[in-house]
Amino acid sequence: MAKQRVLTGITTTGTPHLGNYVGAIRPAIAESQRGEFDAFFFLADYHALIKSHEPAMVHQSSREIAATWLALGLDTDSSTFYRQSDVPEITELSWILTCVCAKGLMNRSHAYKAAVQANEQNGDDPDFGVTMGLFSYPILMAADILMFNASKVPVGRDQIQHIEMARDMAQRFNHLYGDTFVLPEAVVDDVAVLSGLDGRKMSKSYGNTIPLFLPEKKLQKHINKIKTNLLEPGEPKNADESTVFEVWQAFATPAQTADMRQKFADGIAWGQAKKELFELINSHIAPARERYEAILEDGQYLESVLKKGAEKARSQAAPMLAAVRKAVGLAAFK
């Protein structure tokens, strides 16, 4: 019996941080290593162009994120790991889907509606600053998914709408041209959400992140910046209201977590708690950091891995696109 195909898109903007690791990267790699699914992972670099018009940043972010996943143990032999822009069949399928997708469906996209609302609140034209990339990126996302007939797509709750849109496009295409696409399903896990330096969700948009592979001294400095209360050493502290403890728990064993909870009850000093947190995180990520730094510097190795992944992906994409082209009437003359 064929394994279910699971497809995961990896946003290529910014530098990976501890929140990305705990909430997305670590569980995804662990799931792929169990071998229960036919796992596809791709760097969504075309999507990155919607948010960033700085070529150097787009390029560097893709490089850092690819190196991160490899350093953390993604097995590219048992899974398919590729760069979106290395699979031209995806963009061709995106255009074909555009021709069956109703504009009204795109009008309901959360991202587009949010942009319009912000413009109206500022007294601007509703579509001020809205590119066609922003408006129609759910179609490209649908092409990412339908190209490989992925049956399961892990997403955050804010992305469920886009999976539903992909289903709508697949159903419309199947109705017009015959059964071609599997209807994908969103897989929404209650992933761990890690708080950042200021106590809010760790997010690049808040500027409160702790980058994953910081050198030791910089990692210690970032951890020292975590917001705490004014309780003195010796005063009991509520572990469940502490960002320091929350981050500790994300990296610690159950026994280590219980031990730190007791230290909080006993009034551990914030400086000592942060020192122990640094030691825990550093011991956890140091081996991967060393691999990351080596991979990041070896552009030829990165290219070879991604090209190998693109070949695997295209071996699936090419026959699918051929079937789609034939279905819509773009077949060769005989």
Side-chain angles (χ1 to χ4, degrees):
M1 186 175 179
K3 295 179 181 179
Q4 283 192 317
R5 182 164 292 168
V6 178
L7 181 138
T8 301
I10 305 164
T11 304
T12 56
T13 52
T15 298
H17 54 72
L18 294 187
N20 297 143
Y21 172 67
V22 170
I25 302 173
R26 183 170 65 183
I29 291 177
E31 186 70 51
S32 73
Q33 290 172 340
R34 282 194 279 272
E36 297 176 7
F37 303 103
D38 182 12
F40 277 55
F41 298 91
F42 72 94
L43 302 173
D45 52 352
Y46 274 136
H47 288 286
L49 301 182
I50 299 168
K51 297 180 179 179
S52 177
H53 295 155
E54 298 183 49
M57 288 183 62
V58 170
H59 185 265
Q60 182 63 18
S61 180
S62 294
R63 186 170 184 147
E64 289 178 1
I65 291 167
T68 295
W69 282 73
L70 294 173
L72 290 170
L74 180 64
D75 185 346
T76 58
D77 291 325
S78 61
S79 61
T80 303
F81 182 53
Y82 58 98
R83 200 164 28 199
Q84 184 186 35
S85 60
D86 285 338
V87 185
E89 290 86 354
I90 294 171
T91 46
E92 183 171 347
L93 178 59
S94 181
W95 175 253
I96 293 172
L97 293 176
T98 298
C99 296
V100 300
C101 178
K103 177 177 178 292
L105 187 64
M106 295 299 95
N107 288 342
R108 296 193 290 274
S109 169
H110 295 324
Y112 173 62
K113 288 171 68 176
V116 169
Q117 183 179 25
N119 283 335
E120 289 175 340
Q121 289 174 346
N122 293 332
D124 295 323
D125 181 272
D127 285 326
F128 175 76
V130 176
T131 65
M132 286 306 297
L134 174 64
F135 181 72
S136 62
Y137 90 90
I139 303 176
L140 179 56
M141 185 170 172
D144 293 324
I145 298 164
L146 301 180
M147 184 83 265
F148 300 103
N149 267 340
S151 55
K152 304 289 184 183
V153 185
V155 290
R157 294 191 180 278
D158 61 334
Q159 292 288 315
I160 293 175
Q161 183 196 44
H162 296 126
I163 308 305
E164 293 171 347
M165 288 178 166
R167 288 176 63 90
D168 286 345
M169 286 177 243
Q171 286 175 319
R172 177 64 175 162
F173 188 96
N174 290 349
H175 174 73
L176 289 172
Y177 300 112
D179 287 343
T180 305
F181 296 120
V182 168
L183 302 186
E185 295 181 6
V187 178
V188 183
D189 293 325
D190 290 322
V191 297
V193 175
L194 212 58
S195 296
L197 300 178
D198 57 3
R200 294 182 293 175
K201 173 186 174 182
M202 191 176 292
S203 171
K204 292 183 282 286
S205 61
Y206 293 150
N208 65 354
T209 66
I210 301 175
L212 180 57
F213 290 130
L214 283 175
E216 289 188 8
K217 288 185 179 180
K218 289 186 177 181
L219 176 61
Q220 176 74 78
K221 287 181 179 179
H222 271 69
I223 289 173
N224 287 341
K225 293 177 183 177
I226 295 175
K227 185 178 180 181
T228 55
N229 57 36
L230 299 177
L231 291 174
E232 297 289 338
E235 293 185 84
K237 297 168 179 64
N238 187 339
D240 296 323
E241 295 179 355
S242 166
T243 298
V244 172
F245 184 80
E246 179 190 328
V247 177
W248 174 276
Q249 193 169 21
F251 288 87
T253 65
Q256 289 172 321
T257 298
D259 181 59
M260 182 57 76
R261 184 179 289 278
Q262 185 59 51
K263 289 180 179 179
F264 267 65
D266 294 340
I268 188 173
W270 287 121
Q272 180 62 26
K274 290 178 179 180
K275 178 176 180 293
E276 293 186 26
L277 177 61
F278 159 72
E279 291 170 351
L280 175 69
I281 294 176
N282 192 55
S283 66
H284 187 90
I285 65 172
R289 181 201 291 129
E290 187 174 342
R291 290 194 297 271
Y292 169 78
E293 290 172 351
I295 292 170
L296 194 64
E297 292 302 313
D298 192 345
Q300 288 187 334
Y301 170 72
L302 269 175
E303 277 299 310
S304 69
V305 170
L306 290 169
K307 291 296 185 185
K308 180 186 75 172
E311 289 174 7
K312 288 172 67 176
R314 294 193 71 186
S315 72
Q316 300 288 323
M320 170 58 84
L321 184 61
V324 169
R325 288 171 62 93
K326 182 178 179 180
V328 300
L330 300 180
F333 301 128
K334 295 182 180 178

